[in-house]
Amino acid sequence: MKPNLNQQPPTQTAGVSGIDGHGGMGEANDRPFQQYIDWRKLVNLPAFEMFVLEQSGQIGGSAGEWVSARRAAISDSALYDQYAAWHKDKGLWVSETPTGRLIEGN
């Protein structure tokens, strides 16, 4: 299934919840903490490039465009979760996290 590249992604908004938004001042609110994903950095990692190639079937296409379309279609967290599972299953980067950080002790 090819993504519709003419479709605009949903509008992104930013807000500030403060320390109590994550339970630092007692009860946390009902929204779970969401991990920040640096997509610009991720798109340039060799592991993520391989993931995009395998998932999209594109050769020479723009990984950034594919990622933008997938994020709009399934959400940031779902796409990252798919990538993280793929990264672990591949087993090629055992000394790195999916975001490219080195794991101490490996």
Side-chain angles (χ1 to χ4, degrees):
M1 177 172 97
K2 289 188 177 183
N4 181 355
L5 298 179
N6 294 328
Q7 181 180 6
Q8 293 286 326
T11 303
Q12 296 182 357
T13 58
V16 178
S17 62
I19 191 168
D20 60 332
H22 303 290
M25 302 298 284
E27 290 297 315
N29 63 22
D30 59 352
R31 292 178 300 149
F33 176 73
Q34 290 186 329
Q35 176 183 356
Y36 170 75
I37 302 166
D38 185 349
W39 290 104
R40 279 190 247 180
K41 176 184 175 189
L42 212 55
V43 166
N44 292 303
L45 293 176
F48 194 76
E49 289 175 351
M50 183 184 283
F51 167 75
V52 170
L53 176 66
E54 288 184 11
Q55 297 297 309
S56 69
Q58 295 179 358
I59 297 178
S62 170
E65 290 177 10
W66 183 84
V67 168
S68 293
R70 291 301 293 158
R71 289 173 61 198
I74 66 171
S75 83
D76 283 11
S77 60
L79 179 58
Y80 181 81
D81 290 347
Q82 286 177 359
Y83 165 63
W86 174 92
H87 186 275
K88 181 179 177 183
D89 291 344
K90 275 293 186 192
L92 298 175
W93 302 275
V94 294
S95 298
E96 292 182 9
T97 66
T99 59
R101 274 192 0 253
L102 291 177
I103 299 172
E104 305 244 352
N106 282 337

